[in-house]
Amino acid sequence: MKVSFIGLGVMGFPMAGHLAQAGLDVTVFNRTESKSITWTEAYKGCYKKTPKLAVEHSDIVFICVGNDDDLKQVMLGKDGILAGAKTNAVIVDHTTTSADIARALSAICAEQQISFLDAPVSGGQAGAENGQLTVMMGGKESDFNRVEPVIKHFSKFVKLMGEVGSGQLTKMVNQICIAGVVQGVAEGLHFARSAGLNGVDVVEVISKGAAGSWQMDNRHNTMWQGQYDFGFAVDWMRKDLGIALDEAKKNKSTLPLTSLVDQFYADVQNMGGNRWDTSSLMARLEVHRK
Ligand code: NAP
């Protein structure tokens, strides 16, 4: 089977690597050519200079770029994916985007008898590198069945959530839940320090009960030490919370905590923390101690 991978960033580079290691015939494209060269030095596969050229013979086209606008560019540009993709190809988009763009691109693809699945991921850089991502997908079941065995090469769990856009809606729920939990862990550790407690000891006790969470287990130690270089960047989180808040206006849900935490992340950006990871909400609380 021939596949392409468009976008060799923090996530796409190792995801495409897993496909090559699984023995698939992989052609990659990255806007910055040097990353394509590094990829082909690390893995068996080839690269092309445009998305159009990269996808020409592919049965499945994977994408992992930044946001809605980036996705539009790689899909619809003169040298974009839809200028080169063959009839009956399936496009699997792993970018975190709005549900609207997924629906719009799916409709455009259908005119060319090309399938489109939105397929955002969770699990971060470590999940991509270890092939342990969770993938939440939207689209037709017949298309999902075609790509699921291939996606398994870089994931531990894949699920079809409903029609196109449902994967992105599920990812929005994921980000909404993370925002509140991270702020809770940050406030707990901040309070512990003010109370003269050792936060690491506190977490050793409370993580075994109802307060426990992935964020607490995996981030408390570095948060306690004021280290915020461990994964998903604040800039990306603000993009994702913005998408969720826009969608909430449309579906009339009320997200007071998410709105508040989004503004807290804006504070972190103003502190110079654009590329810090999401646990840096702690830095905002601790700033007065410096
Ligand atoms: P990244 O390291 O910044 O990589 C972005 C990739 O997209 C790069 O290959 C970049 O090319 C390419 N790109 C961006 N704009 C483009 C454009 N207009 N035309 C062509 N290529 C373009 O980002 P990432 O961390 O891999 O994240 C990718 C997506 O996954 C995002 O939607 C993010 O929200 C989501 N995600 C990330 C994580 C994480 O932990 N990092 C976790 C879950 C989901 P260049 O190399 O030329 O810049």
Side-chain angles (χ1 to χ4, degrees):
M1 179 183 284
K2 281 183 181 296
V3 303
S4 315
F5 208 108
I6 310 300
L8 302 174
V10 167
M11 302 296 283
F13 192 104
M15 289 162 81
H18 285 295
L19 298 178
Q21 282 170 336
L24 294 161
D25 182 350
V26 186
T27 304
V28 298
F29 164 81
N30 195 70
R31 179 180 57 182
T32 306
E33 193 176 359
S34 57
K35 280 194 211 165
S36 296
I37 294 169
T38 310
W39 190 90
T40 49
E41 284 165 0
Y43 301 104
K44 200 162 172 283
C46 65
Y47 81 90
K48 298 283 171 171
K49 285 181 183 283
T50 66
K52 178 185 174 195
L53 292 172
V55 305
E56 269 174 349
H57 305 290
S58 291
D59 304 296
I60 306 176
V61 176
F62 294 93
I63 309 171
C64 193
V65 292
N67 58 27
D68 283 29
D69 287 342
D70 303 330
L71 179 63
K72 267 195 256 176
Q73 272 181 26
V74 296
M75 284 285 290
L76 306 175
K78 181 171 71 67
D79 291 315
I81 292 167
L82 285 185
K86 61 181 193 181
T87 305
N88 288 331
V90 187
I91 296 174
V92 180
D93 177 35
H94 292 298
T95 315
T96 305
T97 68
S98 67
D100 286 347
I101 186 84
R103 294 184 197 109
L105 289 174
S106 172
I108 295 169
C109 286
E111 287 167 13
Q112 283 185 227
Q113 287 170 293
I114 291 169
S115 300
F116 182 93
L117 293 153
D118 54 307
V121 300
S122 74
Q125 182 174 353
E129 288 173 357
N130 302 330
Q132 295 290 304
L133 293 169
T134 299
V135 188
M136 40 211 104
M137 305 194 54
K140 288 205 187 95
E141 192 169 358
S142 52
D143 297 327
F144 173 79
N145 291 336
R146 281 171 68 191
V147 303
E148 188 197 15
V150 183
I151 292 178
K152 286 249 164 87
H153 293 305
F154 52 73
S155 62
K156 65 174 180 193
F157 188 70
V158 188
K159 188 171 168 71
L160 183 65
M161 304 307 300
E163 61 192 23
V164 68
S166 307
Q168 297 298 349
L169 293 171
T170 304
K171 176 75 181 181
M172 290 173 213
V173 178
N174 187 72
Q175 302 306 73
I176 290 165
C177 293
I178 288 175
V181 172
V182 176
Q183 179 64 15
V185 175
E187 289 187 19
L189 290 171
H190 171 69
F191 176 91
R193 181 164 279 142
S194 300
L197 294 167
N198 179 320
V200 176
D201 290 345
V202 169
V203 167
E204 191 184 354
V205 177
I206 68 170
S207 62
K208 294 179 176 54
S213 65
W214 186 98
Q215 297 292 339
M216 183 179 280
D217 287 344
N218 291 281
R219 294 286 180 264
H220 76 277
N221 210 344
T222 43
M223 286 167 86
W224 187 250
Q225 292 169 47
Q227 294 172 0
Y228 307 115
D229 190 19
F230 295 93
F232 192 63
V234 166
D235 280 352
W236 280 145
M237 188 59 165
R238 285 219 72 208
K239 167 190 68 108
D240 292 0
L241 294 181
I243 290 169
L245 290 166
D246 281 350
E247 189 67 38
K249 275 188 211 135
K250 289 181 215 151
N251 70 19
K252 303 204 177 359
S253 45
T254 315
L255 305 180
L257 184 56
T258 308
S259 305
L260 197 58
V261 175
D262 180 52
Q263 289 312 302
F264 294 165
Y265 279 122
D267 294 343
V268 175
Q269 288 175 317
N270 289 332
M271 292 167 67
N274 302 62
R275 299 299 297 179
W276 294 351
D277 74 69
T278 44
S279 70
S280 58
L281 288 174
M282 177 85 179
R284 188 182 154 273
L285 298 173
E286 293 284 293
V287 73
H288 69 280
R289 292 196 213 271
K290 300 235 158 126

